[in-house]
Amino acid sequence: MTVKEIIKKDPEGLIAQAYKLSQKAHAGQKRKTGEPFFIHPLAVADILVSWNMDEETVVAGLLHDIIEDTKTSKEELTKQFGKEIIFLVDGVSKLGKIKYQGVASNISAHAKVENLRKMILALSEDLRVIFVKLADRLHNMKTLAALPAIKQKRIALETEEIYATLAYRLGMQNLSGELHDLSFPFLYPKENEWLLNHIPEKYEARKEYLEKLLPKIKSSLQKHEIEWDSMDFRAKRYSSLYHKLLRHDMDVDKIYDLVAMRIIVKSVSDCYAALGVIHELFPPLPGRIKDYIAMPKPNGYRSLHTTVIAESNKFVEFQIRTEEMHRDNENGIAAHWLYEQKKKGGGNPKKEELSKELSWVEQLRNWQEKYENSTTDPEAFLHAMKIDFFKDRIFVITPKGEVLDLPVGSTPVDFAYHIHTTIGNTCVGAKVNGSFVSLDHELRSGDIVEILIQKNKLPSEDWLKFVKTDGARDKIRVAISQKKTSLTGRRIATNTDLKLIVQDRFGLLKEVTDTVTRSHVNIRHIQTIHQAGNQFPVLKLQCQTTDKEKISRLILKLKKIKGVREITYTLT
Ligand code: MN
């Protein structure tokens, strides 16, 4: 099915309406490829249809670039398509604002990736936002060659590290692999060339070899009365092949699953029966039998895998699974929720049902498990993945596309202090998603927050009543107490009294006064005090300044004068 076919069937439906509106709104716009812009939202919608997405999601796909790139207003769209769809469209626009910079940025790449993942998760109160974004990214990656080189690299890196990973974790194996493959040539151009020169031939040879095995396998399955739906070959993707080759001295012959044979059977018991048949035909390689049916991968992948020693002593990997497993493996969560909904006989799944069906919490646990067993900084990830943590945090975006996480209930003031103390102290106003808000406005996940500052402004005591973070509260208190001292300072203190304990000698006093004068400090009064019982006299200078920095520089200089033993000062 395609969007155009759907429209033919239902020319008045929401999809048809969205098609018309999007086509009109984007009219005249061109993509970097030179094609009319509209082919992009249409392609995105077609991808969503191919994933069996519901009507709302397909509509969101058609409209996803409308708020950002055209004059159509959100209000207009809401009127025609309803809040739910606009929520999806809006979510996609927000995700689009995040610019992943990878290692090049000043915060650690790891922190940045995690931030983004958290952000993406937070936005996915409705996972369909992610589906649209993934479809958007998939199509953009297919036309990435049209962009300038520097952009290609950034987008490819973002795709590799964020979206492909995300797709994998959502169990969308197919998409994840495709995204990896699409980014690969941009991230590893030389390696890609090497693969192009060395692999296609090998793929072909492998396929030919496997095709020759087919009759033998088919007749054996028939003999055991095992029905199969299909048998095909799965060529290993370049991106994952490359990573595997690195571990095998770039020796392609050591990659057993360069091309794997995939058998789709009718039932779970047929899976095991077929595995038995294969093992009867060819001896299995010890340690290579994997039962992902009994023990699915953390992302939900189910299948039986085995590597056998086939004709001419060649290793062959077999993957055996049912149709349902296959569909779930390829499309993951996307396939799953729709299937469940259809089974129930319901129409389009509602948002609340969706989140239940997705067992989102379970997914998070799976991720956590996976990371516990992996080597990628498990501590940071575990921390980030704590369910509670997610519940109590929001993720907001700076105008530069950085993601900050803050506790629920945080305000622009918390945000400002989180960026920098000075920004907090001098903050006078805030814009959220482009509109002015009050400083006590409660921020929400996905908000894009911009802080307006005014130099030399000081925080207000009232802020303490609404800020949420301890960091902001502490900094406000410090700034206020400094403000009070400096205010009282200005009112009363105009002078600084220096007390020097000296070992008097000829010329000392002159040296002291010269030093003070050279520091551009006026001396209002000098007094030498001889205290009874004290071996050394005290030289008291009243200086006409309260400038702390000036005073401390002066004190340093005075201390160098021979005979000066100790200096204290007070503001008067
Ligand atoms: Mn787009």
Side-chain angles (χ1 to χ4, degrees):
M1 233 359 182
T2 65
V3 168
K4 282 187 179 156
E5 283 165 17
I6 295 174
I7 293 172
K8 231 180 214 169
K9 269 195 194 162
D10 184 8
E12 302 301 320
L14 274 184
I15 292 181
Q17 289 178 38
Y19 181 99
K20 266 181 231 151
L21 189 135
S22 179
Q23 193 174 33
K24 213 173 116 194
H26 289 297
Q29 295 177 349
K30 286 229 160 28
R31 297 207 92 207
K32 284 272 156 40
T33 54
E35 297 161 298
F37 190 88
F38 179 65
I39 66 147
H40 169 65
L42 181 58
V44 169
D46 271 325
I47 292 168
L48 291 165
V49 170
S50 77
W51 294 346
N52 289 320
M53 290 288 131
D54 62 346
E55 191 180 38
E56 275 108 340
T57 315
V58 175
V59 169
L62 282 165
L63 303 178
H64 81 273
D65 275 325
I66 271 206
I67 297 181
E68 280 297 286
D69 299 342
T70 80
K71 285 184 187 127
T72 320
S73 78
K74 221 157 102 180
E75 290 67 39
E76 241 174 280
L77 287 175
T78 315
K79 237 191 238 161
Q80 192 174 354
F81 296 99
K83 270 192 191 147
E84 204 175 322
I85 286 171
I86 302 317
F87 174 84
L88 298 178
V89 173
D90 222 20
V92 179
S93 308
K94 280 175 188 159
L95 277 179
K97 294 221 171 82
I98 301 170
K99 294 226 166 15
Y100 177 64
Q101 302 294 351
V103 196
S105 75
N106 52 358
I107 64 167
S108 85
H110 188 76
K112 203 146 192 176
V113 173
E114 287 315 327
N115 258 350
L116 273 160
R117 284 193 187 131
K118 283 186 274 178
M119 166 81 216
I120 285 163
L121 284 173
L123 278 174
S124 46
E125 291 159 66
D126 193 327
L127 249 196
R128 291 177 297 178
V129 171
I130 296 294
F131 293 146
V132 180
K133 184 66 204 172
L134 287 171
D136 176 49
R137 180 48 58 107
L138 178 60
H139 184 247
N140 283 335
M141 283 306 292
K142 286 180 176 170
T143 52
L144 193 61
L147 292 187
I150 191 151
K151 271 196 171 175
Q152 288 175 344
K153 201 113 202 193
R154 183 184 67 72
I155 293 171
L157 188 68
E158 184 179 78
T159 303
E160 168 90 0
E161 295 193 354
I162 307 287
Y163 292 104
T165 311
L166 193 68
Y168 178 82
R169 289 180 181 180
L170 293 172
M172 301 167 84
Q173 206 110 316
N174 218 4
L175 173 66
S176 166
E178 219 176 332
L179 290 174
H180 275 301
D181 267 6
L182 288 165
S183 356
F184 190 75
F186 296 99
L187 296 175
Y188 306 95
K190 277 188 206 137
E191 292 83 348
N192 184 56
E193 214 181 294
W194 187 90
L195 288 174
L196 286 174
N197 289 330
H198 290 79
I199 302 304
E201 221 174 89
K202 303 255 177 196
Y203 272 155
E204 272 317 300
R206 267 319 253 186
K207 255 178 95 175
E208 266 168 45
Y209 167 80
L210 290 175
E211 259 157 16
K212 283 187 199 140
L213 298 180
L214 275 180
K216 201 172 176 183
I217 296 163
K218 283 182 179 166
S219 71
S220 238
L221 287 173
Q222 254 160 5
K223 208 169 73 194
H224 289 87
E225 290 175 357
I226 301 164
E227 278 184 84
W228 69 90
D229 282 331
S230 65
M231 267 182 227
D232 59 11
F233 311 113
R234 191 279 286 130
K236 200 167 187 63
R237 291 179 176 279
Y238 273 17
S239 47
S240 65
L241 174 63
Y242 180 73
H243 293 296
K244 205 163 187 174
L245 278 168
L246 286 179
R247 282 180 271 132
H248 292 92
D249 314 314
M250 299 311 276
D251 184 351
V252 186
D253 293 326
K254 286 185 186 154
I255 313 291
Y256 306 149
D257 61 345
L258 184 66
V259 181
M261 189 177 279
R262 199 146 54 189
I263 304 175
I264 313 276
V265 295
K266 297 274 183 212
S267 67
V268 175
S269 57
D270 282 348
C271 288
Y272 291 101
L275 183 75
V277 170
I278 302 293
H279 286 169
E280 207 177 80
L281 283 174
F282 314 109
L285 210 61
R288 301 275 308 185
I289 304 164
K290 284 169 195 148
D291 186 350
Y292 295 123
I293 295 177
M295 276 182 295
K297 285 191 188 177
N299 68 355
Y301 178 88
R302 287 178 303 157
S303 186
L304 295 176
H305 288 193
T306 185
T307 304
V308 300
I309 305 161
E311 256 120 64
S312 358
N313 283 330
K314 284 201 162 130
F315 297 118
V316 179
E317 184 178 291
F318 281 86
Q319 302 179 349
I320 307 162
R321 57 183 72 162
T322 65
E323 183 60 43
E324 188 191 337
M325 290 174 201
H326 183 56
R327 193 194 53 226
D328 285 357
N329 291 348
E330 296 292 281
N331 295 325
I333 284 181
H336 200 69
W337 66 256
L338 203 92
Y339 178 74
E340 289 295 317
Q341 288 303 317
K342 286 208 173 127
K343 220 166 55 180
K344 278 188 194 156
N348 292 327
K350 287 288 154 283
K351 211 174 123 188
E352 309 79 61
E353 292 168 12
L354 205 60
S355 49
K356 253 187 278 154
E357 283 303 328
L358 293 168
S359 50
W360 189 233
V361 173
E362 211 177 293
Q363 275 292 321
L364 283 179
R365 280 205 198 99
N366 284 341
W367 286 27
Q368 195 176 325
E369 260 166 37
K370 191 177 162 228
Y371 266 80
E372 262 171 329
N373 300 324
S374 82
T375 49
T376 36
D377 190 7
E379 222 180 69
F381 198 78
L382 265 179
H383 176 65
M385 282 293 138
K386 287 266 155 58
I387 308 298
D388 285 351
F389 178 81
F390 267 112
K391 241 195 279 177
D392 304 332
R393 308 292 289 186
I394 56 162
F395 303 92
V396 291
I397 318 169
T398 71
K400 282 185 190 155
E402 276 159 327
V403 182
L404 302 182
D405 65 276
L406 294 166
V408 165
S410 288
T411 63
V413 174
D414 293 290
F415 175 91
Y417 275 105
H418 198 86
I419 295 177
H420 198 275
T421 308
T422 317
I423 296 190
N425 283 341
T426 56
C427 132
V428 287
K431 272 180 170 181
V432 167
N433 305 324
S435 316
F436 284 102
V437 296
S438 60
L439 287 176
D440 62 353
H441 176 88
E442 193 178 317
L443 299 175
R444 302 242 217 107
S445 261
D447 279 347
I448 295 165
V449 187
E450 199 179 326
I451 297 295
L452 308 163
I453 59 167
Q454 197 176 76
K455 257 197 177 170
N456 302 323
K457 183 86 176 40
L458 288 163
S460 147
E461 205 156 353
D462 289 344
W463 292 0
L464 291 170
K465 289 181 202 145
F466 60 74
V467 290
K468 196 79 190 175
T469 50
D470 290 336
R473 191 165 293 119
D474 292 345
K475 287 168 186 168
I476 294 168
R477 285 210 181 104
V478 169
I480 288 175
S481 74
Q482 275 172 357
K483 176 161 83 174
K484 280 185 179 154
T485 11
S486 76
L487 279 181
T488 47
R490 237 170 269 145
R491 238 180 296 127
I492 298 163
T494 47
N495 303 313
T496 305
D497 277 359
L498 291 177
K499 276 185 194 168
L500 289 71
I501 297 174
V502 295
Q503 196 167 8
D504 213 351
R505 61 174 170 85
F506 178 78
L508 177 80
L509 188 63
K510 187 172 183 307
E511 256 189 78
V512 168
T513 52
D514 280 354
T515 306
V516 176
T517 316
R518 271 202 308 275
S519 298
H520 305 287
V521 172
N522 287 333
I523 301 169
R524 297 183 68 149
H525 187 72
I526 297 181
Q527 199 184 355
T528 312
I529 308 165
H530 292 274
Q531 285 169 320
N534 211 329
Q535 195 188 345
F536 302 112
V538 173
L539 198 63
K540 202 173 156 191
L541 290 101
Q542 193 175 55
C543 304
Q544 197 182 9
T545 180
T546 52
D547 186 336
K548 268 190 189 166
E549 241 179 278
K550 231 178 189 180
I551 295 291
S552 34
R553 274 201 305 269
L554 175 60
I555 288 174
L556 281 178
K557 283 182 197 156
L558 291 172
K559 272 187 176 162
K560 284 184 191 148
I561 297 171
K562 197 182 152 218
V564 175
R565 305 179 70 94
E566 210 184 300
I567 304 175
T568 56
Y569 77 94
T570 41
L571 295 170
T572 54

